[in-house]
Amino acid sequence: MSDQNVFHYDAFISYRHNEFDSFVAENLHKKLENFKLPKSVLSKVKSGKTKIERVFRDVDELPLTDNLSDPISKALLNSDFLITICTPRYLESRWCMKEIEVFLQTHPRDHILVVLAEDEPANSFPEILLYDEVKTTNENGETVITRREMEPLAADTRGENKKEVLKAMDIAVIKLCAAIFGLNYDDLRQRHREQRIRRLAMIFGSIGAAVLAFAIFATIMLIKISSQNRQLQYDLATTMANASDNLIADGRIKDAVYAVRGVLPGDDRKAYNENALKALYSDMDIYKVSNAYSPVNTYDAESWVMKFDVSGGDRYVLLNQGNAAYVYDTENAEVLYHIPADYTDGMEAELCSEGVSWSTHLGSHFYSFKTGENTSAEFTDSAEIFSNDDGSLVIMNDEGMLQGMDGSGNILFMTDLGPIFHDAASYLTGAGFYEKEIQCYFSTDDGWYCLLIDPDNGQILSSFDGIIESNYYPKFGYDNGRLYTAVTTDNDIGLTTEIIATDTASKDEIWKLSLEDFEAQNGMIRISDEYLFLCGDNEVAVIEPATGKLTARYTYNEYVIEAWLDEGNLRFISSEGRVYECSALYGQQEITGSFFKTAPDQNVTDAEFVDGSLYCHFKNAGYVTRYSNDVSRLAENEDGEFERTTVEMYWPDQVFGDEDLYDFNTDFVDNIAFYSDDGKYSFGLFTDHTAKIFDAKTGKLVISFETADEHFDDFRYSALTGSYILSGEKSIIFDKEMRIICESDRIICEDGNDFIMENPESGYYRVPYVDYSTLCQMADEYLGDYTPSANVKQKYGLY
């Protein structure tokens, strides 16, 4: 939305979004906009206003960003007064507190009006309104900041019930209006009482005249209400577009589509909000042909997720709540199986190809997908379970028994490890599955062990051990007949990690490398053709696997959550949701911006990279999100050669040099400027990272928007869309009113009813043009009868 559409508000109502606080805010809003000043005090109002024209009250609670271009910040900036509905709940909302802080950045403190709606002031008033910081100079000439107690202007609407609240609100409105109009409260209250008495007398004395007046008034109000409703609908749609952006950042694709589809009409013959339409195009990935990762599915549980597992081939996703497990179809995110545990203090669960193996303190079971039944398993007491891509398992229970199981729950072997560990405490910390052997990795009180197991009968083929006293579990890697072990120890100088390479045929140690101040307790080993990458808790060591030479060591201020290889380089996602790439040749760099289409906005606590998809679980979240780098399902590879359509570029003064049309300094235009292909519009990219489009004949600004792109080279009218398309690294599609409705990957040209789009890595794609109505139909088919959960609606302000 352009700056021309920014509204001015007499007041902004800040409140906590719950049933009672919303009741107070909604009714106060109505009473303020219906309040009319008595004629006898109009001469005392310096502003000349006779009534409150417009009050901003956001229908849904959304996080306030640091970008003053968002609707909430704009409304605060363009409001004369801030009215806070104070209750104990109001203090708990950091967004409400931020609204006060943002308002005070541009307004005096006495323009904040407080409404006490519940409890006592000490429990309901924000601290920032009770004190002011005052600069004084002490006897030494030093500037000292002291806190001065303040008494905010407060109106009281408290009552035993809603009826009493509404009655008290009538007096509170007079007090608030007195402050807004700069009048004396007592005088306004007396004049308002007299006005009300005269109005009642006129009503009872002139019934016929009142009926006629009401008819005229009703007609005028219907026109005004219709206009206000259109504005409210537009504001609601903008709020939902912001909610959609927040949902996408949290990986909730379906909820994001739901948020904006509900505020868009079925076709563009009716008025629509361009922000919501832009969000819907983006959420549906209509014109995505890049390899950037975006959320494609969300797997919801009923409470916090303790652990999750993904089967090989992306067939199933398992979510473990601690006292129940859910199995989802990976593609459509539907719950296929629900497995309740018989013990509420935690369960371990692992996917098989035909079921789920799970255990608690009370026993172990196998849940069969075919029968839908649990059967008791022979392993017991919180077993440690590791799975293969084909769904087979190795399991170790606390009695020192190692078991193998196929994907259907059949026991293949049971191997007593007592003779190996001499009944010492041992823990199965990992397993590697190969065609002719299973490598099982153990940690014991004496050190670490690696056992090579025959997958058919459980026979121990070979064993390796390292005597390193440590309280940290070792990490293992295997490649080309070499076993790599990383063990962290704690000594006088701090943490040290030793990496040992062992030949599995001869059992000889090939090399050993010590890394000081390196912790691998929660790390992992990834091995490419040329390098071994040891991921510690918050750093990565790059090692030559043949010699043990340390090539590079990179440290981070974030935890490494999951790591994988991409074309010989290591990539990992951190606890902050950032993605990094490590290379022995090119160093390390953050690639979050190019890896994600929209990066996560939450802390990542667990992740798995399986078959090209990234699965993330976020802090305290009851869901897991799958990210994929798939292109739009509408896109088809296109062979051939295509040339980019471009327009002729000029120096800024060649386009904007006419002082009769343009009144800005061309030095603020960043190097290039150009006209649309039909010469109707002029375009410039400005040094403040804004792009501006002007009417080329009048010089009038048509639209201005922020952009991170540093290069545009094409601006042309599209007969396919009936509007204009601006292209650079990406393409921007406008509607007929020159509002931005879609941002997409680069559109090279048009061919018939299709766009030809470019992926720098995989070539050209043909994507059909999707108009407004078709987009809405696609969204409706995608959603079906889906409705977000009550928790999602409350958290993101959906209706």
Side-chain angles (χ1 to χ4, degrees), residues 526-655:
R526 301 290 183 260
I527 306 169
S528 70
D529 291 338
E530 298 183 63
Y531 297 100
L532 180 150
F533 298 92
L534 173 61
C535 301
D537 286 5
N538 54 6
E539 58 185 311
V540 174
V542 185
I543 303 166
E544 291 183 358
T547 63
K549 178 184 176 182
L550 178 66
T551 302
R553 183 171 171 177
Y554 306 116
T555 59
Y556 306 88
N557 293 322
E558 306 159 42
Y559 290 108
V560 179
I561 301 298
E562 167 68 323
W564 61 95
L565 295 175
D566 183 84
E567 296 183 354
N569 297 325
L570 179 83
R571 288 184 172 183
F572 72 84
I573 186 167
S574 75
S575 54
E576 301 297 319
R578 299 186 180 97
V579 178
Y580 295 87
E581 185 171 81
C582 299
S583 166
L585 296 178
Y586 304 109
Q588 62 87 21
Q589 60 178 332
E590 182 183 351
I591 59 170
T592 309
S594 59
F595 182 85
F596 284 113
K597 179 184 173 185
T598 301
D601 197 26
Q602 301 184 75
N603 289 339
V604 179
T605 57
D606 194 9
E608 285 191 29
F609 191 85
V610 180
D611 294 335
S613 292
L614 177 63
Y615 297 79
C616 291
H617 173 238
F618 304 105
K619 184 177 180 180
N620 297 336
Y623 63 93
V624 168
T625 298
R626 176 192 175 201
Y627 293 84
S628 169
N629 65 344
D630 293 340
V631 300
S632 168
R633 61 187 178 89
L634 304 177
E636 295 182 359
N637 275 112
E638 183 70 17
D639 295 329
E641 294 295 328
F642 299 92
E643 293 185 6
R644 288 188 176 206
T645 56
T646 59
V647 294
E648 185 177 358
M649 288 181 279
Y650 302 92
W651 293 107
D653 57 355
Q654 292 177 287
V655 175

Side-chain angles (χ1 to χ4, degrees), residues 309-349:
D309 185 30
V310 182
S311 66
D314 280 350
R315 185 180 178 187
Y316 300 119
V317 176
L318 170 73
L319 266 58
N320 182 356
Q321 284 187 201
N323 63 347
Y326 294 84
V327 179
Y328 301 78
D329 181 278
T330 305
E331 290 302 319
N332 59 31
E334 292 182 358
V335 176
L336 300 177
Y337 312 103
H338 173 215
I339 308 166
D342 52 5
Y343 184 61
T344 60
D345 197 27
M347 69 182 292
E348 289 291 330

